[in-house]
Amino acid sequence: MILPWIDEGAPPEAFPPPEQALPDPPGLLAAGGDLRPERLLAAYRRGIFPWYGDDQPILWWSPEPRAVFPAGGVHVSRSLRRTLRRGHLHVTADTDFDGVVAGCATPRAEDEGTWITPAMALAYRRLHELGHAHSVEVRDDAGCLVGGIYGVAVGAAFAGESMFSRVTDASKVALAALARQLWRWDFHFLDAQVASPHLLRMGVEEWSRPAFLRALEAAVAEPDRTGAWRLEPLERLFPEIAGGPG
């Protein structure tokens, strides 16, 4: 099977239908194109995202099944509630987008690389400057960035791209706080793209491609929430932690 190629001069929306994605490798849809904001936004509105390495052309994906957190669907475990009650982690949004992307780009192990290339980081930085890409930062009591998550909002859908953690539970706190805030803003879902054991434990669901695309179509019909985001205090996002440590 020949993989469709997208010329750089093609219209931003010039993607094959997601239903044409390959079964092997699962979800690979097309190659080529560019990472300008117009093309990235057109991709996300169709349930497509880029993922590739330094030695590859830009590769575009639409996996099936799709890992999705429904509105407010992140599971806050007993241990995560204890972490939130301790009050030693502090959460903000859109105050250090570059720092979060850099944290996500750091290889997890010595023998691992990263798919967040300099070109990818620059592309999402441009989306952030336009008000479409957002970050959630987690800092410790000293103000050091110890975790976070970033992604792209289109309509009432948020596509999570990557998250990182330098201390226990920091990425979980970022994800849970983001999900709760999205719920309060009436977002329809948080797209986690591909499931992992970690995400499954936090409540992610695996949707068929048709179900995901139907939900996405409804979500992107809603107005975009652009500009810098601000999160509500953790005590409002997580009323179950009221009462302090314990």
Side-chain angles (χ1 to χ4, degrees), residues 73-95:
V74 172
H75 172 60
V76 180
S77 66
R78 193 177 313 172
S79 64
L80 183 54
R81 286 199 299 272
R82 285 197 296 266
T83 296
L84 290 165
R85 286 194 182 105
R86 285 181 60 191
H88 66 297
L89 297 178
H90 312 278
V91 184
T92 57
D94 285 344
T95 63

Side-chain angles (χ1 to χ4, degrees), residues 160-177:
E161 278 299 305
S162 187
M163 57 186 180
F164 79 102
S165 185
R166 294 180 181 139
V167 301
T168 301
D169 285 345
S171 61
K172 292 180 181 179
V173 169
L175 175 60

Side-chain angles (χ1 to χ4, degrees), residues 41-210:
L41 291 173
Y44 281 101
R45 290 185 177 117
R46 289 161 175 77
I48 301 164
F49 59 88
W51 183 49
Y52 66 102
D54 270 326
D55 58 345
Q56 297 175 319
I58 300 173
L59 301 177
W60 301 92
W61 303 78
S62 180
E64 185 180 30
R66 192 73 167 229
V68 180
F69 287 104
V74 172
H75 172 60
V76 180
S77 66
R78 193 177 313 172
S79 64
L80 183 54
R81 286 199 299 272
R82 285 197 296 266
T83 296
L84 290 165
R85 286 194 182 105
R86 285 181 60 191
H88 66 297
L89 297 178
H90 312 278
V91 184
T92 57
D94 285 344
T95 63
D96 191 359
F97 185 85
D98 291 342
V100 171
V101 174
C104 293
T106 301
R108 287 358 184 219
E110 290 184 5
D111 59 345
E112 290 183 355
T114 177
W115 59 268
I116 304 176
T117 64
M120 287 278 275
L122 177 60
Y124 285 93
R125 174 68 192 178
R126 288 172 176 161
L127 276 186
H128 175 67
E129 291 170 349
L130 293 171
H132 296 285
H134 304 276
S135 60
V136 170
E137 304 85 26
V138 179
R139 294 182 174 86
D140 62 15
D141 285 333
C144 297
L145 186 67
V146 295
I149 184 172
Y150 79 95
V152 179
V154 283
F158 187 89
E161 278 299 305
S162 187
M163 57 186 180
F164 79 102
S165 185
R166 294 180 181 139
V167 301
T168 301
D169 285 345
S171 61
K172 292 180 181 179
V173 169
L175 175 60
L178 173 61
R180 288 287 179 95
Q181 187 65 75
L182 293 175
W183 186 18
R184 293 175 73 91
W185 285 337
D186 295 323
F187 271 64
H188 295 191
F189 59 82
L190 193 165
D191 174 22
Q193 300 176 347
V194 179
S196 68
H198 171 69
L199 293 177
L200 289 168
R201 285 192 295 271
M202 293 194 70
V204 81
E205 298 178 357
E206 292 187 288
W207 293 2
S208 69
R209 183 181 289 115

